[in-house]
Amino acid sequence: MEVTINNQNYLLNEACSIEQMLAAVLSTETNGLAIAVNQTIIPKSDWATHVLNPADQVILIKATQGG
């Protein structure tokens, strides 16, 4: 199935959870990361159970420090 992550298209396995998607597309830690699916923030506690659907729009937001 195809989903859009931060404006880039990715092909993922069917019935892919957010946690599985992160393992497939990210090579960094998930600390300080927020995820929105179709403009709805998904709590980190739901990442393992929230299943992505074809054509979902996923936004990964990384917290940064600054001044």
Side-chain angles (χ1 to χ4, degrees):
M1 94 178 140
E2 188 172 343
V3 297
T4 302
I5 304 170
N6 289 358
N7 297 319
Q8 292 186 357
N9 293 336
Y10 288 87
L11 289 175
L12 302 174
N13 293 331
E14 294 295 325
C16 180
S17 71
I18 291 175
E19 202 168 71
Q20 292 167 321
M21 176 270 300
L22 289 172
V25 301
L26 281 186
S27 60
T28 61
E29 287 191 33
T30 59
N31 291 338
L33 189 66
I35 297 179
V37 177
N38 300 324
Q39 299 182 353
T40 301
I41 297 290
I42 307 299
K44 191 169 188 173
S45 59
D46 292 344
W47 290 1
T49 57
H50 185 97
V51 177
L52 297 172
N53 295 304
D56 274 352
Q57 300 286 318
V58 180
I59 299 174
L60 307 179
I61 304 161
K62 181 74 173 167
T64 59
Q65 283 185 307

